[in-house]
Amino acid sequence: MNKFTITSFLLVLVLLSSSTVCKISIAQASRCCNNHPELGECVPGKKNGKCWEFCIADCEKGGFCKNISSGPVCHCYC
């Protein structure tokens, strides 16, 4: 019985850790080519360090402040 409990516990840990890794890689893949309003306001045409730093972490070309209908937003290049 004790072996079964330990094995079950380890299996649950492995499954939980693999789902976390999967969620992180999906989040990083969706960073590029997308708008990121969660970063807050930015000023189009001016360097926005927060936007650039956020985007360059996973997207080769970085990002910029883009004007959209709801207002300026950080956008990561494809």
Side-chain angles (χ1 to χ4, degrees):
M1 181 72 175
N2 194 19
K3 264 187 168 180
F4 178 73
T5 305
I6 292 171
T7 305
S8 297
F9 179 73
L10 290 174
L11 181 61
V12 168
L13 282 177
V14 168
L15 289 173
L16 288 175
S17 67
S18 64
S19 69
T20 303
V21 169
C22 183
K23 287 177 189 174
I24 290 171
S25 63
I26 289 170
Q28 288 174 345
S30 66
R31 183 174 292 196
C32 303
C33 307
N34 285 310
N35 295 333
H36 298 282
E38 68 274 12
L39 294 177
E41 287 189 28
C42 58
V43 179
K46 292 195 176 184
K47 285 195 173 189
N48 182 331
K50 182 171 47 174
C51 180
W52 179 262
E53 291 298 320
F54 175 80
C55 293
I56 200 68
D58 292 309
C59 310
E60 276 184 39
K61 298 180 181 178
F64 69 102
C65 186
K66 177 180 180 180
N67 270 319
I68 60 173
S69 60
S70 62
V73 65
C74 176
H75 178 85
C76 296
Y77 288 110
C78 297

